């Protein structure tokens, strides 16, 4: 049994949701915990042709046996959480840490109307930056201060640490990506918190020695929404031709795109102390890989791409996404 932390390697939208949804069904974890910023992230996965999205709950929602937790560092938007609890029939298996910060309408308004946030940084407008700033000022309401979430409150740190000590399987979900970290990204074009593996563990309330695996998720190309540098950025036309044009799952904004960045990947592996890599959307770059589930069946070009990543960053690529469905994946923990 292991404790795994899954985090984004680039600028978010790497496909963490798909990897976590797959692991939640394949590994049947006892608990899944969400860390990260809050509802500024939308994690998407496709199961039996149906597309699901979560902005508050962990991406393990499809496994009805898995307990769903939200760590103290996460900001909760009560309306969004309650919609998801209903949609995924998750009321009885969800616990929100009583120290989660609460996003009110006023935070969303401030995020939308602030010229620096909206025009320069290009935030998602979810209210997370203003709420985290209120938290730093110690004037933000916490989950325990409001009535709405009373029936879901608990101590997530206690539950997760006990589960790990009892040798149960735990999945910890990060949001955004390494280079959107408030500390390690391209400030000021970043989110309002640290979102590297250490930051995510801190959100949950576990120490660094409790983690067995850090799975770092990269997409086979890079995308970014909002302002800030993007090395080797291609034009919208080029992205469209390559099939790399994407739209944000929270804001609907067109994402900027560039080819896979080996140097950035190397730095990301270092900052997160990654032990395993996941590469998603390999089929978008190498269409002949679509739907494959065995490594040996990949084309030689696709294999060279994976090997180049492994040689550059020094960590094995253990999961490879070959399609939108959560089971369209090569899982190299199983020898193939
Ligand atoms: P904020 O997190 O809404 O304050 O936005 C700050 C920066 O992070 C902006 O560039 C956003 O586009 C980006 N960002 C925040 N969350 C996500 C995400 O889940 N995926 C991709 N980009 C994000
Ligand atoms: Mg996303």
């Amino acid at each position: 049994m292991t404790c795994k932390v899954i985090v984004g390697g680039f600028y978010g939208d790497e496909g963490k949701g798909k990897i976590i949804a797959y692991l939640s069904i394949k590994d049947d974890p006892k608990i899944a915990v969400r860390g990260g910023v809050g509802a500024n992230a939308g994690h998407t996965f496709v199961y039996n042709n149906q597309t699901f999205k979560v902005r508050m709950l962990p991406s393990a929602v499809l496994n009805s046996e898995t307990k769903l937790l939200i760590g103290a560092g996460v900001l909760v938007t009560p309306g969004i959480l309650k919609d998801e609890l209903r949609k995924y029939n998750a009321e009885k298996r969800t616990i929100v840490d009583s120290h989660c910060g609460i996003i009110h309408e006023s935070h969303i308004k401030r995020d939308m109307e602030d010229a620096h946030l909206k025009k320069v940084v290009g935030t998602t407008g979810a209210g997370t930056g203003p709420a985290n700033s209120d938290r730093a000022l110690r004037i933000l309401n916490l989950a325990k201060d409001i009535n709405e979430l009373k029936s879901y409150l608990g101590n997530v740190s206690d539950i997760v640490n006990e589960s790990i000590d009892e040798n149960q399987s735990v999945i910890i979900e990060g949001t955004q990506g390494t280079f959107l970290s408030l500390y390690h990204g391209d400030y000021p074009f970043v989110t309002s918190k640290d979102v590297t593996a250490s930051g995510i563990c801190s959100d949950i309330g576990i120490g660094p020695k409790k983690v067995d695996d850090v799975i770092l998720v990269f997409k086979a190309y890079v995308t970014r929404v909002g302002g800030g540098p993007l090395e080797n950025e291609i034009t919208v036309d080029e992205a469209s031709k390559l099939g790399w044009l994407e739209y944000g799952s929270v804001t609907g904004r067109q994402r900027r795109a560039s080819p896979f960045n080996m140097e950035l990947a190397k730095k990301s592996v270092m900052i997160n102390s990654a032990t395993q890599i996941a590469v998603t959307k390999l089929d978008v770059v190498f269409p002949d890989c679509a739907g494959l589930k065995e490594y040996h069946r990949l084309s030689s070009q696709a294999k060279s791409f994976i090997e180049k990543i492994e040689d550059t960053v020094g960590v094995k690529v253990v999961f490879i996404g070959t399609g939108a469905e959560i089971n369209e994946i090569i899982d190299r923990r199983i020898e193939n």
Side-chain angles (χ1 to χ4, degrees):
M1 294 296 150
T2 56
C3 173
K4 298 181 175 65
V5 181
I6 292 99
V7 288
F10 289 137
Y11 301 98
D13 308 313
E14 300 93 350
K16 296 176 287 295
K18 182 217 166 100
I19 300 296
I20 292 159
Y22 167 75
L23 289 173
S24 73
I25 286 169
K26 181 80 187 165
D27 293 4
D28 204 15
K30 193 88 180 169
I31 58 180
V33 203
R34 185 148 166 165
V37 188
N40 50 349
H43 290 181
T44 309
F45 42 92
V46 181
Y47 190 56
N48 291 338
N49 280 320
Q50 227 187 315
T51 300
F52 299 94
K53 187 175 92 171
V54 281
R55 292 175 63 186
M56 291 269 51
L57 290 176
S59 302
V61 282
L62 296 182
N63 185 338
S64 59
E65 301 297 312
T66 302
K67 228 183 222 159
L68 307 170
L69 313 182
I70 301 179
V74 178
L75 295 165
V76 170
T77 311
I80 297 175
L81 173 64
K82 283 161 78 182
D83 283 350
E84 291 181 6
L85 288 170
R86 265 194 303 273
K87 178 170 180 202
Y88 295 103
N89 198 12
E91 277 110 338
K92 296 218 168 67
R93 54 189 169 111
T94 298
I95 295 171
V96 176
D97 197 286
S98 56
H99 287 187
C100 285
I102 297 296
I103 296 201
H104 295 296
E105 262 321 301
S106 57
H107 298 114
I108 296 170
K109 195 160 183 281
R110 275 157 67 192
D111 204 357
M112 297 278 208
E113 290 174 0
D114 185 280
H116 174 70
L117 291 177
K118 209 59 215 155
K119 300 226 168 68
V120 180
V121 181
T123 71
T124 62
T128 47
N132 272 332
S133 85
D134 280 0
R135 190 163 193 166
L137 293 171
R138 281 138 294 175
I139 54 173
L140 184 69
N141 281 336
L142 301 186
K144 65 183 167 68
D145 302 324
I146 64 166
N147 255 328
E148 244 181 312
L149 299 177
K150 219 172 200 157
S151 51
Y152 308 106
L153 298 187
N155 188 322
V156 166
S157 170
D158 280 357
I159 299 168
V160 176
N161 278 285
E162 272 164 31
S163 299
I164 294 171
D165 292 345
E166 285 167 12
N167 218 18
Q168 291 171 347
S169 147
V170 175
I171 292 187
I172 298 171
E173 175 166 353
T175 63
Q176 283 78 34
T178 297
F179 299 104
L180 289 177
S181 162
L182 180 62
Y183 302 151
H184 307 292
D186 316 299
Y187 187 93
F189 307 104
V190 292
T191 191
S192 51
K193 270 176 58 177
D194 179 33
V195 287
T196 63
S198 313
I200 300 300
C201 290
S202 159
D203 290 339
I204 308 303
I206 63 165
K209 286 172 73 179
K210 291 273 166 103
V211 175
D212 300 297
D213 273 313
V214 176
I215 305 176
L216 189 61
V217 186
F218 296 120
K219 189 157 58 185
Y221 49 97
V222 183
T223 59
R224 169 163 211 172
V225 268
L230 179 61
E231 219 183 306
N232 301 318
E233 181 169 358
I234 60 174
T235 64
V236 173
D237 259 10
E238 285 170 309
S240 174
K241 275 192 202 117
L242 290 165
W244 297 3
L245 208 55
E246 297 181 3
Y247 295 88
S249 74
V250 171
T251 58
R253 288 180 296 177
Q254 200 171 65
R255 293 179 184 152
R256 302 154 61 197
S258 79
F260 192 95
N261 186 326
M262 292 287 170
E263 284 315 303
L264 220 49
K266 196 172 164 182
K267 175 140 197 225
S268 192
V269 163
M270 177 187 77
I271 296 178
N272 291 290
S273 70
T275 62
Q276 300 184 336
I277 304 286
V279 175
T280 62
K281 297 205 176 185
L282 190 72
D283 56 300
V284 176
V285 176
F286 302 98
D288 54 1
C289 300
L292 295 183
K293 293 176 185 176
E294 291 163 310
Y295 187 76
H296 74 262
R297 294 186 59 201
L298 291 181
S299 62
S300 55
Q301 277 167 310
K303 273 188 201 148
S304 322
F305 174 67
I306 297 293
E307 281 160 20
K308 188 168 178 212
I309 296 173
E310 293 179 327
D311 291 346
T312 307
V313 308
V315 177
K316 182 169 170 172
V317 175
V318 177
F319 303 98
I320 301 170
T322 57
E325 284 275 339
I326 63 178
N327 59 3
E328 289 183 311
I329 196 166
I330 296 169
D331 182 345
R332 297 175 78 198
R333 298 176 304 175
I334 309 157
E335 211 35 73
N336 53 33

